[in-house]
Amino acid sequence: MKYVLLLLLLAAPNLAGSFVTLSTTTFSKANHPNWNVRSFPWLLSPHRPFHHDHVVSLTSSSLPSTASSAGVQKCDACGAEFVSRNALFRHLGASADCCGNIDTLARPTKPCKHHMVFQLGYYHQENHSMVVGSESSSDTRRTATVRQLLEQAFVQVTGHVPYEVTQMSGVQRRHPCLDQDPECHAMADVVSVKWNSHTRHLDGGTIMTATGGGGTCSSWMEHMNSILSSSLKHPSADFRFGSILEILNAEVLPVSQKTPLFHAETSCTQRMYQYVLPLEWLIDGHEISSWWHRRRLDDIASSGHHQPRGRGQTQSSPPPPAVLVRLKQALKQVESQTVDDTSNNNMHSTISETGGSVVRTGPGRFGSLAQKERRCWHNFCSSPLSISNNDDGSISSMRISRGPSQEHVWRAIDRARIVDFVLADNNHDTNADEPDGNDKKDHRDVVAVVVEFRGDGFVTQQVRHMMGSVVAMTNQWLPPTFFQVATQPNVCLPPQNGTPTVPLAPPGRLYLAGARYHFLDLVRNKQLFSSSIVPTTTTTTNTGMVDDPVFAWRSKLQSRILRDRERMKEAESMWWQELKDVTAPHIRTELETIAAAAAAATKAKDQEEKHIEKVDISPIGTCGILLESPPPPLFKTTLSLLRKVVDTSLWPKTSLARSRHLRSPSTNGSVRNKRNPMTSFFSGDFGQSGSFTVVNKDDPSDNTVFPELVQAIFELERQLVNQQPRRMVNATHHDNESFGHGDTTRRMLSTHCAVNCNVAFTPHLDSGEGNGLSMIVSLGDFAGGAFVVEGDDYDIRYKPLEFDGWKQPHWTQPFEGERFSLVWFTPKDRNDDIDIKHDNSNGEKVGERKEDRKANALVRAHGAQVLSYPLLKFRPNSTDALVINEILDSEKGCAYELRSGWNNGIHEFSPQGHACVLDIGAHIGVFARFALGLGCPHVIVYEPESSNIELLRQNVKPLDNVPPTVDVHMAAVAHGTVGMRNLVRARNRNDGTLNTWRHALEDYSQYTDKMTPLPSESQEAVLTRSPVQTVPFFGHALTPNVTFVKLDCEGAEIDILSSPECRNPNSWLNVTHLVFEWSFTKERQVDRFHHVVENLVAAGFQVWYPGQGAWWDTEEHVMWPYHNDLVVFATREVE
């Protein structure tokens, strides 16, 4: 009896574009007496445990080893060849032996992920420079070399090539200003190594090498240390350890979904540094040695007798000397305060003009550490400049990167304390805090104390700056309130003649003492390298402590520091004398000046408040106190002319681009357009409110509309520059010199001025690029209306303020009354960005667009961050460069990221830290590479266009046989079911630029066929259409392992996010972050966009977008009036 079975031949996953093939096969019951459908389980399983490559070679190209010629199908069970697929299956149906051997064929194995963490100790044996700033240039290379040396030793021992090597002290993912101090040693640096292998861990801690051999952690460490020792016998020119780099400990971390994604650098929640402070730097420091000996004798005498103890001393112990008390008090001033109210985490409080503090707490921490206040340590950072170089090595730009507005200078210091006493001639025992077990008297003098600083991170040389300041405070050369004043964001202590104002302790005495990974410890219920934790209060004769490799390394490290410091005694003595005679007196003078300015500001404010008239506040809300005082004489003429323009109803119309960030004005002077229910214009255009720009021309008569007003506006700027001291947002963050102006004491006059009347701006950045800082001042009688820069409020009523509008988010607080504001600025000269032409191989002039030139620079910089991948490839004279510029630009940030400083309630938004990122509309893979550069281990991408997918695959293919971490799918994503749809290629731009990023499904394409001539010969009148595979977003493209979604599918997002599935929280699975580009160019009704926002809110998302709260976002029935789309950010919490 014969049975007919329809077999679904599912193509192998590695065969792109394959489809289901139907084949009929006749089976004989005689040949298969016990046959049933369960005999072929691989036909039924949706997971396809049986791989088709083991049954049939579909093409000669897919399996060259089993296909003798093109189109020939081969049975892997017996080796017979057949001319067709049907013939092969007829063979399988007739041959019981071949069918029986199917399950015995080798199955492909999925590589296993492995993770190992090493603890390192190293010592820099080189000549230490006492010149501030001379050490910082090689520190990044030094950290990288530690990582490279360990990776090379790992490869030699195991044969495995890691796909990720990270170091706790590195700055691969953090700001360069957080780089470890130059000349810093280490007793517990952490390096994480991850690799893939087809072998699993064996019992007993044995790990398989790539060659099949096994080895324990101890044997690996011993072999790797031998290789490291040999490598350091020939140190590189920019990095020299002498011969001291040693692996102290190693631990294998399990890789599972329950284990948090571990990155040695970014997963670290607390860093510890220790500084060996010689007592000779402290006045009466010898008293500490005498006190320690008396206390030691008392402890020995009382050994064996139980007595109450408190803080490490007996009741009869001698009191500590005054110098030790002052030292501890100074260290206490370094520590961050604990913030009781945790509801204000990561939020800024208002900075008062008299030096009010900003209260912030640290993100990414929990428990008591999460309540530690972060203070602004901008004055304690010795890496002030971020320098960009041209190809020829010349400096192209410099940017100050240590200003108070920079998030990385806000750090929390958890502890600052004395943890150890170091004895002279200390060769093995550096912990002299307790008596030894033999009760022997030790007459060696205490020559140094070890001071430990713990915090969430430290800017470059911050620890040495803090240590130098503590020495000055202990010696009473600086007041006890020095740290309180110097960490205020509105206090600047600039360097004097290249020497930092804040004391900088000498190098060579600092070492990295350890790190904590609290989130990992919480999951594992134990600390990383827990066996190596050495309590400082434990006696050194404890056998476990002596045997511990980290404790032994610390003893050697402190001994080497004391020995090598003898060579630097003269230089350190000169530093101490300069601190006493020059640095400390200069700081005291600066502090007196700051205190006098604060007192004067307080007095002026008190006098001003006497003239303030309090009035009832409108029902809109409490905006403040309405100020109706006469303007200062300097502003009288300009304010009068501004009021004249309003009174004569001549206020100009607001430009379309500028209106995008304006809120709807109050009813004062505003008239709504009643003729068209679909309002598409800023309502201020119909009343006396809005914004326009005037230009400072040589001939005032050229300003034909308001010549007198224009002349008064720029004359006002000139007088403000000449008569008033400069008041800048984060004065240490910007100076004129960094923008090309040579005079750092006087502002250069501007070429443009924005004139605003009764308008409030939503958070935004100014478009384009600027040449120098902008300056703003407000005039009129109003309540509220504070000017906000990066979350900090500033009073600008008749008080000019300079800020960087192109890089610092800024906006206006609500106000009532009459409010004018003037913003002077100078845009960047367009001649600075002209296209460059060079000779090609034929001697012809070939132009290079400025977009391509910038993209090439960004690609090179990005390549240095992602060494496992090739340099990004893109097509010149195409929109590829625009994609690169909007994603990889480190100055302005990625278009799909949010940095701190925006008033959005989301704080920061980034793919960093996500286990899996889904990129819909991947183009050529720029965002996928950006996510990889941030350490995302897995990225899934969808792109339907064939030429883009070709570059995409090249850009995400790793080098050197590193396992791929990007899953590439050639398909479009839309709402609906799986099927085929037409993809419309975007028409090239009018200037002939190849358009590669506006391709869309025909249902959503904004392009139409043209019958009339087009501006460029490269433009197609009849658009190119091609069928593409289309898959649904919910239920197909979105998988459970995805936590971050980037959705940019050229209009298809409209139906995806408008669907009922979007409102269902379960449809989003484990997604916590969603960023999408809403195609207003396809759907101009803002009401439709608001419906999508409501869907996302119903699904549990918090939504923010630029312009939120602007007139177009708050008025009814608005048609989107702008020419570009909108990027929207949404976050939610998933249990």
Side-chain angles (χ1 to χ4, degrees):
M1 183 176 181
K2 297 183 179 180
Y3 300 89
V4 178
L5 175 66
L6 292 178
L7 300 179
L8 291 177
L9 179 59
L10 301 180
N14 61 330
L15 299 178
S18 57
F19 301 96
V20 173
T21 302
L22 296 179
S23 177
T24 59
T25 304
T26 302
F27 290 86
S28 170
K29 182 128 184 182
N31 293 333
H32 306 281
N34 299 320
W35 181 90
N36 57 53
V37 75
R38 299 181 183 274
S39 301
F40 298 90
W42 52 273
L43 296 175
L44 299 178
S45 173
H47 302 291
R48 301 192 298 279
F50 179 80
H51 201 286
H52 287 233
D53 290 350
H54 298 146
V55 180
V56 58
S57 302
L58 296 180
T59 64
S60 60
S61 60
S62 63
L63 284 176
S65 62
T66 58
S68 58
S69 61
V72 174
Q73 313 301 322
K74 182 179 179 180
C75 175
D76 283 353
C78 66
E81 296 182 352
F82 303 90
V83 296
S84 68
R85 194 175 299 167
N86 286 342
L88 170 63
F89 274 88
R90 283 194 297 269
H91 162 72
L92 291 176
S95 174
D97 293 337
C98 290
C99 282
N101 291 334
I102 286 179
D103 288 333
T104 64
L105 296 176
R107 309 293 174 87
T109 59
K110 183 179 180 181
C112 300
K113 294 184 180 295
H114 301 282
H115 189 186
M116 200 168 184
V117 186
F118 297 92
Q119 196 171 33
L120 303 179
Y122 47 82
Y123 181 80
H124 304 299
Q125 190 168 2
E126 41 187 329
N127 294 326
H128 303 289
S129 172
M130 294 292 292
V131 179
V132 175
S134 64
E135 316 101 326
S136 61
S137 61
S138 64
D139 190 48
T140 303
R141 295 195 300 270
R142 177 182 298 114
T143 303
T145 305
V146 173
R147 192 167 57 249
Q148 292 169 3
L149 289 174
L150 181 70
E151 181 177 357
Q152 293 170 6
F154 179 85
V155 173
Q156 292 184 44
V157 172
T158 68
H160 297 299
V161 178
Y163 65 85
E164 180 184 85
V165 180
T166 60
Q167 186 174 359
M168 184 266 288
S169 58
V171 285
Q172 287 179 298
R173 297 190 188 176
R174 299 182 299 152
H175 194 279
C177 275
L178 295 175
D179 205 353
Q180 184 168 274
D181 283 11
E183 313 299 334
C184 182
H185 317 295
M187 78 171 195
D189 203 348
V190 178
V191 175
S192 165
V193 179
K194 299 178 182 179
W195 74 97
N196 288 329
S197 173
H198 289 278
T199 59
R200 297 181 178 274
H201 295 294
L202 303 179
D203 295 335
T206 303
I207 307 175
M208 298 298 295
T209 64
T211 58
T216 63
C217 289
S218 300
S219 63
W220 279 22
M221 286 171 51
E222 182 179 355
H223 194 177
M224 290 175 65
N225 276 330
S226 175
I227 295 175
L228 290 174
S229 178
S230 300
S231 300
L232 291 173
K233 291 180 180 179
H234 305 284
S236 60
D238 58 353
F239 183 86
R240 183 171 300 167
F241 278 106
S243 59
I244 311 176
L245 169 60
E246 184 176 335
I247 301 174
L248 307 177
N249 226 320
E251 185 172 345
V252 177
L253 292 184
V255 180
S256 65
Q257 294 182 350
K258 295 182 179 180
T259 305
L261 184 65
F262 182 84
H263 189 281
E265 179 186 332
T266 58
S267 300
C268 181
T269 53
Q270 188 182 63
R271 290 170 166 82
M272 310 168 210
Y273 286 90
Q274 293 180 358
Y275 191 92
V276 180
L277 172 65
L279 296 183
E280 61 187 22
W281 291 359
L282 305 177
I283 297 178
D284 299 329
H286 63 279
E287 296 181 359
I288 295 179
S289 181
S290 301
W291 166 82
W292 179 85
H293 279 294
R294 291 196 303 270
R295 176 192 165 202
R296 184 180 179 87
L297 291 174
D298 290 343
D299 286 345
I300 293 175
S302 61
S303 61
H305 302 282
H306 175 73
Q307 291 189 12
R309 298 175 64 86
R311 298 204 174 194
Q313 66 182 54
T314 63
Q315 290 182 337
S316 60
S317 296
V323 60
L324 183 58
V325 174
R326 293 197 304 269
L327 176 59
K328 291 183 176 181
Q329 291 175 346
L331 292 173
K332 196 68 177 177
Q333 297 300 315
V334 179
E335 296 180 356
S336 299
Q337 300 296 319
T338 300
V339 180
D340 295 331
D341 184 9
T342 59
S343 62
N344 292 327
N345 279 3
N346 307 319
M347 299 298 292
H348 299 187
S349 64
T350 302
I351 303 177
S352 68
E353 294 182 4
T354 57
S357 61
V358 174
V359 178
R360 302 186 185 184
T361 54
R365 311 180 93 193
F366 66 94
S368 59
L369 296 182
Q371 302 178 27
K372 288 292 184 179
E373 176 191 359
R374 299 168 70 203
R375 290 191 287 176
C376 185
W377 295 92
H378 60 295
N379 288 315
F380 293 76
C381 178
S382 292
S383 293
L385 292 178
S386 176
I387 302 176
S388 301
N389 295 324
N390 296 316
D391 293 337
D392 59 359
S394 61
I395 295 177
S396 61
S397 65
M398 293 189 298
R399 185 169 66 89
I400 291 181
S401 56
R402 63 165 188 151
S405 66
Q406 300 292 321
E407 188 68 21
H408 54 267
V409 304
W410 291 81
R411 315 310 318 172
I413 309 301
D414 305 326
R415 291 291 298 272
R417 58 174 181 166
I418 301 173
V419 295
D420 205 354
F421 294 86
V422 183
L423 302 180
D425 298 327
N426 193 4
N427 295 322
H428 57 85
D429 180 9
T430 63
N431 188 337
D433 192 43
E434 295 289 341
D436 57 38
N438 298 325
D439 294 345
K440 293 181 180 180
K441 296 181 180 181
D442 195 334
H443 299 287
R444 293 176 295 169
D445 290 334
V446 175
V447 295
V449 294
V450 178
V451 179
E452 181 181 80
F453 298 91
R454 296 189 176 203
D456 63 349
F458 301 88
V459 293
T460 303
Q461 297 185 350
Q462 177 184 342
V463 176
R464 286 172 54 197
H465 278 297
M466 293 189 300
M467 193 70 259
S469 302
V470 166
V471 171
M473 294 170 64
T474 304
N475 292 337
Q476 299 180 316
W477 299 336
L478 290 179
T481 58
F482 172 69
F483 283 108
Q484 178 183 352
V485 176
T487 56
Q488 292 181 5
N490 54 350
V491 172
C492 174
L493 299 174
Q496 300 292 323
N497 299 323
T499 302
T501 297
V502 177
L504 179 65
R509 295 181 173 271
L510 179 69
Y511 58 89
L512 175 60
R516 288 294 306 273
Y517 298 87
H518 291 91
F519 291 100
L520 180 67
D521 298 344
L522 185 65
V523 173
R524 301 171 68 235
N525 200 26
K526 65 176 182 178
Q527 294 184 17
L528 188 64
F529 307 117
S530 56
S531 61
S532 300
I533 301 300
V534 184
T536 57
T537 57
T538 306
T539 59
T540 60
T541 56
N542 185 302
T543 304
M545 291 297 131
V546 172
D547 293 340
D548 185 85
V550 177
F551 181 76
W553 177 267
R554 184 182 67 171
S555 300
K556 297 177 183 178
L557 185 62
Q558 292 178 351
S559 297
R560 287 182 176 274
I561 289 176
L562 291 180
R563 183 193 64 194
D564 291 351
R565 288 300 87 204
E566 291 296 322
R567 298 183 291 105
M568 301 301 297
K569 266 196 171 183
E570 183 178 353
E572 291 181 351
S573 177
M574 294 175 58
W575 167 83
W576 188 88
Q577 198 65 40
E578 183 179 6
L579 174 64
K580 175 185 176 182
D581 299 336
V582 180
T583 307
H586 173 71
I587 294 177
R588 290 198 300 269
T589 302
E590 290 286 338
L591 295 179
E592 292 171 358
T593 303
I594 293 171
T602 302
K603 182 178 180 181
K605 185 175 181 180
D606 292 340
Q607 293 177 351
E608 183 179 10
E609 290 178 351
K610 296 180 181 179
H611 302 287
I612 293 178
E613 180 181 358
K614 297 184 178 181
V615 297
D616 293 334
I617 303 300
S618 66
I620 291 180
T622 304
C623 295
I625 300 175
L626 188 63
L627 304 177
E628 293 184 339
S629 57
L634 196 61
F635 297 88
K636 202 168 187 179
T637 300
T638 304
L639 180 59
S640 176
L641 292 172
L642 289 170
R643 286 171 171 167
K644 181 179 178 180
V645 174
V646 173
D647 294 338
T648 55
S649 300
L650 295 177
W651 196 267
K653 179 181 178 179
T654 304
S655 68
L656 186 64
R658 186 167 297 178
S659 69
R660 183 170 180 173
H661 303 291
L662 296 184
R663 300 183 188 275
S664 295
S666 63
T667 55
N668 178 21
S670 174
V671 181
R672 184 180 296 275
N673 181 9
K674 299 294 185 181
R675 293 175 294 179
N676 189 347
M678 302 295 289
T679 305
S680 302
F681 300 93
F682 174 57
S683 58
D685 293 340
F686 305 99
Q688 298 308 300
S689 64
S691 176
F692 66 97
T693 300
V694 296
V695 180
N696 186 10
K697 297 184 177 180
D698 297 333
D699 186 358
S701 62
D702 291 345
N703 299 291
T704 56
V705 182
F706 310 114
E708 189 177 2
L709 174 62
V710 173
Q711 185 176 4
I713 286 174
F714 290 101
E715 176 61 23
L716 174 61
E717 182 196 28
R718 188 186 66 80
Q719 294 182 19
L720 291 174
V721 169
N722 293 335
Q723 299 181 20
Q724 295 194 8
R726 299 185 68 175
R727 178 173 174 245
M728 294 183 289
V729 174
N730 306 319
T732 61
H733 179 62
H734 294 290
D735 59 21
N736 280 338
E737 187 173 350
S738 64
F739 289 91
H741 301 312
D743 187 0
T744 60
T745 61
R746 177 175 296 181
R747 171 185 172 82
M748 301 294 292
L749 297 181
S750 305
T751 60
H752 294 66
C753 182
V755 187
N756 309 310
C757 174
N758 292 337
V759 292
F761 286 83
T762 61
H764 70 285
L765 293 175
D766 295 339
S767 60
E769 297 180 87
N771 186 13
L773 299 176
S774 302
M775 183 171 72
I776 186 172
V777 69
S778 62
L779 310 84
D781 301 328
F782 58 91
F787 182 65
V788 188
V789 183
E790 294 187 327
D792 297 332
D793 289 12
Y794 294 90
D795 179 14
I796 60 170
R797 186 172 184 263
Y798 303 121
K799 300 174 182 178
L801 177 72
E802 296 184 48
F803 68 104
D804 189 353
W806 291 275
K807 297 179 182 178
Q808 295 176 310
H810 53 284
W811 60 94
T812 315
Q813 296 283 32
F815 65 90
E816 289 295 323
E818 172 203 55
R819 184 183 186 275
F820 297 96
S821 64
L822 304 174
V823 186
W824 291 276
F825 64 97
T826 300
K828 187 176 181 180
D829 190 352
R830 293 186 177 182
N831 292 329
D832 295 341
D833 282 334
I834 60 175
D835 294 345
I836 295 178
K837 292 188 177 182
H838 56 84
D839 294 333
N840 64 7
S841 58
N842 297 326
E844 300 171 342
K845 291 291 184 180
V846 179
E848 182 184 17
R849 300 184 313 148
K850 59 180 179 291
E851 292 89 353
D852 291 344
R853 188 168 68 251
K854 181 179 179 181
N856 275 315
L858 294 176
V859 164
R860 290 193 297 270
H862 172 72
Q865 301 174 3
V866 191
L867 299 178
S868 298
Y869 290 83
L871 287 179
L872 271 168
K873 297 180 180 179
F874 67 97
R875 292 155 288 200
N877 197 31
S878 73
T879 54
D880 290 356
L882 301 180
V883 178
I884 293 173
N885 294 340
E886 75 173 14
I887 292 179
L888 298 183
D889 190 346
S890 59
E891 289 285 335
K892 293 188 176 181
C894 174
Y896 301 109
E897 263 194 330
L898 278 181
R899 297 180 177 179
S900 59
W902 293 88
N903 184 30
N904 50 45
I906 295 179
H907 306 302
E908 292 186 357
F909 188 103
S910 171
Q912 181 172 344
H914 288 265
C916 184
V917 173
L918 175 61
D919 184 1
I920 306 296
H923 194 243
I924 61 172
V926 181
F927 182 76
R929 285 284 296 267
F930 175 78
L932 292 173
L934 293 179
C936 298
H938 188 199
V939 183
I940 305 172
V941 299
Y942 282 82
E943 171 59 36
E945 207 278 326
S946 57
S947 61
N948 287 344
I949 203 80
E950 182 179 357
L951 274 178
L952 168 63
R953 285 179 172 140
Q954 296 180 44
N955 286 332
V956 300
K957 182 179 180 181
L959 300 171
D960 300 330
N961 298 322
V962 176
T965 58
V966 180
D967 297 337
V968 181
H969 300 270
M970 185 177 178
V973 177
H975 185 60
T977 59
V978 176
M980 303 295 294
R981 299 192 194 181
N982 277 340
L983 181 74
V984 178
R985 287 181 57 87
R987 184 176 284 116
N988 292 342
R989 300 200 306 189
N990 292 344
D991 61 356
T993 301
L994 178 64
N995 197 341
T996 66
W997 66 349
R998 296 299 184 191
H999 314 312
L1001 295 176
E1002 193 160 22
D1003 296 339
Y1004 309 104
S1005 177
Q1006 69 197 73
Y1007 296 95
T1008 58
D1009 295 335
K1010 300 290 185 180
M1011 302 301 295
T1012 57
L1014 296 172
S1016 173
E1017 295 180 357
S1018 66
Q1019 293 177 315
E1020 296 179 335
V1022 179
L1023 298 168
T1024 300
R1025 295 167 174 83
S1026 57
V1028 295
Q1029 180 79 11
T1030 307
V1031 299
F1033 177 78
F1034 294 109
H1036 190 105
L1038 182 60
T1039 56
N1041 56 331
V1042 173
T1043 58
F1044 185 103
V1045 175
K1046 173 224 150 191
L1047 193 63
D1048 183 7
C1049 43
E1050 298 300 326
E1053 80 283 349
I1054 297 174
D1055 289 336
I1056 294 174
L1057 300 177
S1058 300
S1059 65
E1061 292 92 333
C1062 180
R1063 296 182 61 88
N1064 185 356
N1066 296 329
S1067 299
W1068 292 97
L1069 303 178
N1070 295 313
V1071 174
T1072 60
H1073 288 69
L1074 166 69
V1075 57
F1076 63 95
E1077 186 166 342
W1078 180 260
S1079 300
F1080 271 119
T1081 51
K1082 281 85 173 177
E1083 173 54 80
R1084 308 194 74 87
Q1085 295 188 49
V1086 178
D1087 289 350
R1088 180 77 179 272
F1089 169 69
H1090 286 160
H1091 171 67
V1092 167
V1093 173
E1094 293 172 359
N1095 284 349
L1096 292 173
V1097 172
F1101 286 95
Q1102 179 184 1
V1103 183
W1104 184 86
Y1105 42 91
Q1108 191 171 37
W1111 68 274
W1112 58 265
D1113 190 48
T1114 56
E1115 297 185 8
E1116 298 178 352
H1117 308 304
V1118 173
M1119 296 292 287
W1120 181 255
Y1122 309 108
H1123 62 84
N1124 48 5
D1125 298 332
L1126 185 69
V1127 178
V1128 184
F1129 302 85
T1131 62
R1132 69 168 186 165
E1133 296 182 358
V1134 177
E1135 298 181 357

